[in-house]
């Protein structure tokens, strides 16, 4: 099959969250199964070049040519260029448009208002991603790819199925590709004011209640849900939750109506990137299931060295996360003082809401030898934290899949998770009688439930059961292989129905 993946981010070139892992890792598995894969993403500058240099990828990229293309946004005809590179047998197409994609941050801009740092969405996100969505189709045509499948991700590329099936592109593809949309997080729908509608070049009939109109605004994800042949989401539990009022974020009714074309496929992790046996950031203290002596040595060295903590043998509670309401960071903050009365240390790597960052900075100043807090997106540090941690906390209010808990398990860092979404599908609660399970789960999104779970963790940490728990976690199969097979099956079945 010829598989085209369109995403606003993909590892190793640009990443802000789990979406990048999915869009960058699945192609490798598709390639291994003999398929031809094209990944389309915006050419973010200078980020992509910086990542290529940082990861020393230049010699691994083969330039395959450039494509000039034209996109119409409202009255403007925009000429631009795409750069095609082969990387590990996969074609990456970087879509250039400097006025849209040459910025320090992918989706938000930072500003200082009255001395306080704030973040806000780029005001032209609509233009940026409508441009990108049209560009993907124009370039695919110019390259004469003839894709069997176009797999889109989240609101940024949700317009691709809409455009492809509209008069703008209808009949221009040699064969009609299967259009798949994966919803990674329903909290982000791409909602924009009606005043921007003309930029789509779609006729007015598309702006209606049963299409893209949403409470007087435009909802890009809604368009994708209606016009794609298949919708997938990143866990079965989240698929079910999305059809409920509590989790559907206003689109539950629409998703229920479309349930017959909805599938849940759990994410996995890339074992080439996340494997404590081979992880270069741990060298020479690599470790694996059944032998965690080096894990302990690594933890002690890392805590007393890089993190500057004391009582390094105490249980280490860790987190690598966006600092947002979704991730339940406020629960951790509410429980913080009480957590500090327990014999444990905490390390958090995360960035996000400035309020949360400031509270965590306050705690760092108050407990400098017990709590390490680092901000920014720091991949190497993330590796070290996964390795050093004894328990990994994810108090998420909702969690479509979650990659943190999957990585943590592989590193023998036991997840403490709230019972929601993909966390339910991927972590089993420790059962002391049966000695099964690989995590600790709690029910309510409250500081009290979180604290109780951490206390359970502390008693397990002190018991003989801890080794079994850690072993169970490290042996859990969390790789992409199964998920990739499920996606391929779906592509094939849908393709046959075309
Ligand atoms: P989401 O995509 O909702 O942010 P996931 O758990 O699905 O959450 O994926 C988050 C991914 O991003 C994980 O691989 C996690 O390790 C990584 N990550 C999150 N914050 C940071 C950070 N500040 N630095 C490095 N990696 C991070």
């Amino acid at each position: 099959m010829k598989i085209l993946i369109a995403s606003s981010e993909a590892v190793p070139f640009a990443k802000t969250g789990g979406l990048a892992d999915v869009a960058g890792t699945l192609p490798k598995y598709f390639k291994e199964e003999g398929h031809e894969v094209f990944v389309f993403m915006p050419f973010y500058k200078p980020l992509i070049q910086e990542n290529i240099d940082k990861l020393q990828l230049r010699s691994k990229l083969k330039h395959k040519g450039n494509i000039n293309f034209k996109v119409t946004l409202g009255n403007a005809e925009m000429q631009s260029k795409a750069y095609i590179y082969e990387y590990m047998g996969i074609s990456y197409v970087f879509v250039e448009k400097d006025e849209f994609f040459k910025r320090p941050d992918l989706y938000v801009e930072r500003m200082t208002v009255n001395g306080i740092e704030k973040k806000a969405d780029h005001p032209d996100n609509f233009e940026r991603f409508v441009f990108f969505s049209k560009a993907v189709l124009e370039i695919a045509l110019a390259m004469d790819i003839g894709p069997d499948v176009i797999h889109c991700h989240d609101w940024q590329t949700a317009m691709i199925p809409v455009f492809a099936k509209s008069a703008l592109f209808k009949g221009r593809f040699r064969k009609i590709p299967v259009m798949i949309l994966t919803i990674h997080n329903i909290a982000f729908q791409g909602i924009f004011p009606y005043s921007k509608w003309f930029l789509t070049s779609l006729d007015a009939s598309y702006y209606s209640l049963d299409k893209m109109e949403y409470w007087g605004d435009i909802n890009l994800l809604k368009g994708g849900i209606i016009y794609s042949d298949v919708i997938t989401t990143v866990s079965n539990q989240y698929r079910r939750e999305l059809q409920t009022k509590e989790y559907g974020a206003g689109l539950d009714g629409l998703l229920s109506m479309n349930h017959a074309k909805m599938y849940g496929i759990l994410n996995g992790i890339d074992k080439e990137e996340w494997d404590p046996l081979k992880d270069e950031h741990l060298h020479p203290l690599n470790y694996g299931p059944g032998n965690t002596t080096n894990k302990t040595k690594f933890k002690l060295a890392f805590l007393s060295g890089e993190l500057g903590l004391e009582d390094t043998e105490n249980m280490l509670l860790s987190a690598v996360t966006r600092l947002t309401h979704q991730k339940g960071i406020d629960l951790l903050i509410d429980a913080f003082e009480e957590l500090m009365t327990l014999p444990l240390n905490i390390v958090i790597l995360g960035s996000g809401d400035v309020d949360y960052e400031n509270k965590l900075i306050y705690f760092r100043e108050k407990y400098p030898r017990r709590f390490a807090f680092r901000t920014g997106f720091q991949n190497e540090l993330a590796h070290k934290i996964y390795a050093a941690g004894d328990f990994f906390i994810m108090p998420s209010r909702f969690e479509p899949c979650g990659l943190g808990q999957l990585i943590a398990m592989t590193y023998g860092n036991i997840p403490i998770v709230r019972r929601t979404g993909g966390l339910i599908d991927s972590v089993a609660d420790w059962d002391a009688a049966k000695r099964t399970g690989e995590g600790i789960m709690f029910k309510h999104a409250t500081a009290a439930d979180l604290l109780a779970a951490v206390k359970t963790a502390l008693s397990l940490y002190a018991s003989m059961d801890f080794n079994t728990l850690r072993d169970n976690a490290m042996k859990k199969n969390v790789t992409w292989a199964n998920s990739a097979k499920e996606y391929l099956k779906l592509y094939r079945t849908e393709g046959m129905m075309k």
Side-chain angles (χ1 to χ4, degrees), residues 15-19 21 185 267 274 320-322 326-327 349-351 374-379 382 386 392 394 399-405 407:
K15 165 168 169 171
T16 69
L19 160 63
D21 292 299
N185 192 338
N267 288 340
W274 302 105
V320 179
T321 180
R322 286 187 289 119
Q326 174 201 336
K327 299 288 179 186
L349 166 62
S351 54
R374 302 285 187 274
T375 53
F377 201 89
Q378 303 194 47
N379 191 42
Y386 282 113
F392 188 83
M394 288 178 77
E399 194 59 80
C401 173
L403 292 175
Q405 83 282 13
I407 301 171

Side-chain angles (χ1 to χ4, degrees), residues 196-214:
K196 290 183 185 266
W197 176 256
F198 75 101
L199 295 168
T200 63
S201 324
L202 292 169
D203 72 62
S205 69
Y206 281 83
Y207 186 73
S208 63
L209 181 65
D210 61 337
K211 297 208 170 110
M212 295 177 58
E213 190 271 348
Y214 188 75

Side-chain angles (χ1 to χ4, degrees), residues 461-485:
Y461 183 66
S463 81
M464 297 299 284
D465 285 337
F466 187 63
N467 283 335
T468 313
L469 182 59
R470 185 171 261 179
D471 235 39
N472 291 354
M474 294 183 79
K475 285 182 180 149
K476 182 126 180 165
N477 181 2
V478 293
T479 64
W480 269 108
N482 292 341
S483 340
K485 284 202 181 86

Side-chain angles (χ1 to χ4, degrees), residues 362-425:
Y362 163 82
F363 287 131
R364 178 174 66 192
E365 278 163 14
K366 188 163 175 191
Y367 301 103
R369 311 287 283 163
R370 304 272 313 281
F371 173 46
F373 172 53
R374 302 285 187 274
T375 53
F377 201 89
Q378 303 194 47
N379 191 42
E380 179 174 342
L381 186 59
H383 279 254
K384 292 178 177 171
I385 292 174
Y386 282 113
D390 297 304
F391 286 87
F392 188 83
I393 190 147
M394 288 178 77
S396 306
R397 285 201 164 72
F398 65 93
E399 194 59 80
C401 173
L403 292 175
Q405 83 282 13
L406 304 180
I407 301 171
M409 285 192 277
T410 304
Y411 281 72
N413 190 347
I414 309 302
I416 301 177
V417 301
R418 195 174 94 76
R419 212 177 270 283
T420 184
L423 299 173
I424 294 181
D425 288 0

Side-chain angles (χ1 to χ4, degrees), residues 110-303:
R110 294 156 199 269
M111 63 202 75
T112 309
V113 180
N114 298 334
I116 298 168
E117 204 204 323
K118 298 233 184 263
K119 288 178 195 165
D121 289 348
H122 288 307
D124 57 353
N125 272 347
F126 184 84
E127 289 85 336
R128 298 171 78 221
F129 289 104
V130 167
F131 170 86
F132 178 65
S133 299
K134 286 186 177 179
V136 168
L137 294 170
E138 291 293 354
I139 298 162
L141 283 167
M143 286 172 72
D144 199 20
I145 295 177
D148 298 287
V149 177
I150 300 188
H151 191 155
C152 309
H153 296 268
D154 279 348
W155 69 267
Q156 291 92 339
T157 51
M159 286 298 282
I160 292 177
V162 185
F163 290 138
K165 291 181 180 176
S166 76
L168 303 177
F169 286 92
K170 207 169 180 174
R172 288 173 66 194
F173 279 93
R174 258 191 281 136
K175 62 175 171 241
I176 305 165
V178 175
M179 293 286 174
I180 301 210
L181 172 68
T182 296
I183 303 175
H184 294 262
N185 192 338
I186 198 84
F188 305 105
Q189 297 180 10
I191 297 176
F192 298 94
Y194 173 68
S195 56
K196 290 183 185 266
W197 176 256
F198 75 101
L199 295 168
T200 63
S201 324
L202 292 169
D203 72 62
S205 69
Y206 281 83
Y207 186 73
S208 63
L209 181 65
D210 61 337
K211 297 208 170 110
M212 295 177 58
E213 190 271 348
Y214 188 75
W215 303 101
D217 286 326
I218 309 166
N219 186 324
L220 300 185
L221 193 68
K222 191 177 167 197
I225 290 170
I226 293 166
Y227 282 90
S228 57
D229 302 309
V230 179
I231 304 160
T232 70
T233 188
V234 288
S235 68
N236 235 328
Q237 177 65 20
Y238 193 58
R239 177 185 62 78
R240 287 188 285 268
E241 288 173 356
L242 283 181
Q243 297 172 49
T244 66
K245 203 167 171 46
E246 185 182 356
Y247 289 101
L251 293 180
D252 40 297
L254 179 70
L255 288 166
S256 301
M257 270 164 51
N258 284 282
H259 75 273
K261 64 172 183 182
M262 254 181 109
Y263 299 83
I265 301 178
L266 199 66
N267 288 340
I269 58 170
D270 182 1
K271 277 295 214 174
E272 275 169 40
E273 161 107 17
W274 302 105
D275 180 356
L277 269 174
K278 292 189 283 193
D279 193 327
E280 60 188 32
H281 306 300
L282 314 186
H283 184 78
L285 295 174
N286 293 86
Y287 62 91
N291 184 0
T292 50
T293 318
N294 276 348
K295 177 173 167 75
T296 309
K297 283 189 191 159
F298 180 79
K299 171 189 165 186
L300 300 184
F302 177 58
L303 263 60

